[in-house]
Amino acid sequence: MGGAGTIKTLESSSLVGTTRRRSMAGKIIKKSAAAVLSFLPILKWLPRYSIKKNLLNDVVGGFTVGIMHVPQGIAYASLAGVRPVVGLYTSLLAPLFYMIFGTSRHISIGVFAVVSLMCGACNVRVTDEFFAESSSNYTDEELGEAKLDYALHVLSGLGFVVGIIQISMGVLRLDFLISFLSDQVVTGFMLGASFHVFVAQLDKLLGVTLPRRGGIGKLFMTLSDVIQSLMALEINLYTTVLSISAIIFLFSIKTFVDPLVKRVTPLPVPYDLFLLIIGTVISTIFDFNTTLSMKIIGKIPTGLPSITPPDLTVIPHILGDAAAISVVILVVSISMGKVFSKKHKYEINVRQEFFALGLVESLGSFFPVWPSSTALARTLVYEAAGTKTQARTLKRKKKLATVFSSFLLLAVLFFVGPFLELLPVRSGFAVFALLRDRRRTQGDVHEARRYPRTVEGVQDRCGKGWR
């Protein structure tokens, strides 16, 4: 009897131990799966995607945003100091990476004026330092091409460091610091950047070649150079007339015609793209490059860029710029994400956004792109495209609009690019200047940054929204 009881006790203990081990293994598997789903949100929303309810809206929104990416990518490339095709690469790759790792259902990642300007300032400074001693070995044309080639090394290293900084901030759980940057600092920065962006494009508006400036007082030195060029009558009159005409055209259309169009459809009409097409056709017919000495975009290579490891030798020269750029990207992108998540009653994981944006930059550094961020105009298109269904299906919905936007950009890179080679570079300024809606961007950033300071925002920071 005693032996039988002992055997039963041992069997029972063994059974309990086995059950516990299975329970622990099940918990480990669940936690591991939850961690993977948290790090790769696409695995969570893609299986639940409703083709019937969401596909049409995503197609419309995706192609509309793709159309916007083309002129923006071409125009902002001049701010970053690289060839126009690099802007198209940035607009193509960054949104695809974010679609895999990001948690916001609305923000549109891609080229952004302020970040492009900051990258361009870093690029100019480092590139000029690199060629300071060897510039005499080149002709002016050869030096310009060499600097454009080296710019890709600078920006790839910059993107890699920006991504590492953002990922490190996420690992160290420093996401709460974003909400404590004062509104005055953010608003002042955006306003100051607007002036710098405008002045940086004046040489293209007037068709003059100005010395590249950097450091403290850059804005005023550039304005001084512009004034001297005007007094010396060094401007290209045809370029100036073309740029001013384009600005007047876009301003008139967006002021008087666009409000009427919005009564019919919430989606924006791509007037800027129409202007690019018209400018390209006219430039081709009248051969502006030869007859009027207008600088054109030039060769746009077809196909996709090759994978190249980032140049890490530039890191000592770009650390300060990388830190500033990483914070700007986080503030703008997360603020926009909070605005639209609050409006549509869903949550974004801010800490995961740090990882997502960091991976977007670090993975992108293996391609010829520069650091990307959120743009309000494109984000509003994503929102407008889904207004009819998001009220009921948003909690289960994640937009595939990025895929269709990328399809359009691929078509441009493979087939349409060569047709844009004769587009005057100067008309890109007009497109760029009217694309930016600084006041609306600042308003939404300000609204998003006030939100975490409310009682509801504090609850979010302590709960799921600010993990």
Side-chain angles (χ1 to χ4, degrees):
M1 293 290 292
T6 301
I7 293 174
K8 288 183 178 180
T9 301
L10 292 174
E11 290 178 349
S12 178
S13 300
S14 177
L15 181 61
V16 171
T18 302
T19 303
R20 288 179 178 176
R21 286 193 294 271
R22 289 178 179 176
S23 177
M24 291 179 61
K27 290 180 179 179
I28 292 174
I29 292 174
K30 287 182 180 180
K31 288 183 178 181
S32 301
V36 171
L37 291 176
S38 177
F39 188 71
L40 297 172
I42 190 173
L43 299 179
K44 185 182 298 183
W45 60 259
L46 187 59
R48 301 179 182 179
Y49 184 81
S50 174
I51 295 178
K52 182 178 180 181
K53 294 180 180 179
N54 304 325
L55 183 61
L56 179 60
N57 291 325
D58 284 350
V59 170
V60 173
F63 280 120
T64 306
V65 168
I67 290 173
M68 297 174 69
H69 271 304
V70 175
Q72 285 185 346
I74 292 174
Y76 291 5
S78 64
L79 287 180
V82 292
R83 296 181 178 88
V85 70
V86 180
L88 299 179
Y89 294 152
T90 305
S91 300
L92 169 66
L93 297 171
L96 289 175
F97 291 142
Y98 182 81
M99 183 181 70
I100 298 173
F101 301 104
T103 61
S104 175
R105 297 162 183 164
H106 289 92
I107 64 173
S108 173
I109 300 294
V111 294
F112 179 55
V114 174
V115 173
S116 301
L117 178 67
M118 296 176 71
C119 293
C122 175
N123 175 28
V124 169
R125 176 176 53 79
V126 177
T127 303
D128 286 347
E129 291 175 359
F130 182 79
F131 286 97
E133 297 181 357
S134 60
S135 58
S136 58
N137 299 328
Y138 300 89
T139 64
D140 290 342
E141 184 176 352
E142 290 174 344
L143 182 61
E145 290 298 317
K147 286 185 174 181
L148 287 175
D149 292 335
Y150 187 70
L152 297 179
H153 294 267
V154 176
L155 294 180
S156 67
L158 181 63
F160 181 79
V161 177
V162 167
I164 294 301
I165 291 174
Q166 292 172 338
I167 293 173
S168 300
M169 292 178 70
V171 171
L172 296 175
R173 296 181 179 272
L174 299 179
D175 42 286
F176 69 92
L177 294 176
I178 296 298
S179 63
F180 294 106
L181 288 175
S182 68
D183 296 328
Q184 291 78 11
V185 170
V186 175
T187 303
F189 176 82
M190 298 291 285
L191 178 61
S194 299
F195 284 105
H196 279 273
V197 168
F198 175 76
V199 172
Q201 294 295 299
L202 285 178
D203 59 334
K204 299 172 180 60
L205 170 65
L206 301 174
V208 297
T209 301
L210 300 178
R212 306 206 305 182
R213 301 291 188 178
I216 299 175
K218 170 187 174 182
L219 179 70
F220 302 103
M221 289 188 289
T222 304
L223 282 174
S224 176
D225 294 334
V226 171
I227 293 173
Q228 291 178 18
S229 297
L230 286 172
M231 294 179 64
L233 299 178
E234 296 176 350
I235 65 173
N236 186 318
L237 183 61
Y238 301 107
T239 296
T240 305
V241 170
L242 176 64
S243 298
I244 293 176
S245 301
I247 292 174
I248 294 174
F249 169 79
L250 282 177
F251 181 80
S252 301
I253 289 291
K254 293 192 175 185
T255 302
F256 302 108
V257 178
D258 198 47
L260 301 177
V261 175
K262 286 182 177 178
R263 296 178 183 177
V264 181
T265 174
L267 295 178
V269 177
Y271 307 110
D272 35 43
L273 184 65
F274 296 156
L275 181 62
L276 287 183
I277 295 173
I278 294 171
T280 303
V281 171
I282 295 177
S283 176
T284 303
I285 294 175
F286 295 100
D287 194 10
F288 283 171
N289 185 33
T290 303
T291 59
L292 303 180
S293 300
M294 283 190 184
K295 186 178 179 180
I296 59 176
I297 286 180
K299 179 67 175 178
I300 297 181
T302 57
L304 294 175
S306 58
I307 298 177
T308 305
D311 187 349
L312 304 184
T313 61
V314 301
I315 290 180
H317 306 281
I318 61 174
L319 282 175
D321 300 272
I325 291 171
S326 63
V327 172
V328 170
I329 291 173
L330 290 170
V331 169
V332 173
S333 299
I334 293 177
S335 296
M336 291 296 103
K338 293 294 288 185
V339 166
F340 290 102
S341 66
K342 180 184 176 184
K343 182 177 180 180
H344 294 282
K345 296 180 175 60
Y346 68 93
E347 295 177 341
I348 65 171
N349 187 328
V350 175
R351 190 170 177 231
Q352 174 61 23
E353 288 297 297
F354 275 65
F355 293 125
L357 293 170
L359 287 167
V360 167
E361 311 302 350
S362 55
L363 292 176
S365 67
F366 287 82
F367 300 89
V369 303
W370 70 83
S372 55
S373 183
T374 301
L376 176 64
R378 299 192 305 266
T379 300
L380 290 174
V381 172
Y382 277 149
E383 183 192 30
T387 49
K388 294 182 179 180
T389 61
Q390 280 172 346
R392 295 183 179 179
T393 65
L394 193 56
K395 291 184 178 180
R396 291 188 176 183
K397 178 181 176 182
K398 177 72 180 187
K399 299 177 79 65
L400 276 181
T402 299
V403 174
F404 301 104
S405 172
S406 299
F407 282 157
L408 190 142
L409 286 168
L410 284 173
V412 171
L413 288 171
F414 277 94
F415 307 110
V416 183
F419 295 100
L420 298 176
E421 293 177 356
L422 295 178
L423 173 71
V425 172
R426 314 311 179 185
S427 65
F429 163 79
V431 175
F432 158 76
L434 270 295
L435 277 171
R436 302 186 71 244
D437 191 349
R438 181 181 56 81
R439 288 180 298 175
R440 294 179 70 181
T441 304
Q442 287 185 356
D444 276 2
V445 170
H446 182 70
E447 177 187 346
R449 294 177 49 71
R450 284 203 317 268
Y451 171 62
R453 296 184 175 89
T454 64
V455 174
E456 184 183 3
V458 172
Q459 291 173 348
D460 276 351
R461 291 217 320 247
C462 297
K464 296 180 179 180
W466 288 80
R467 285 177 295 186

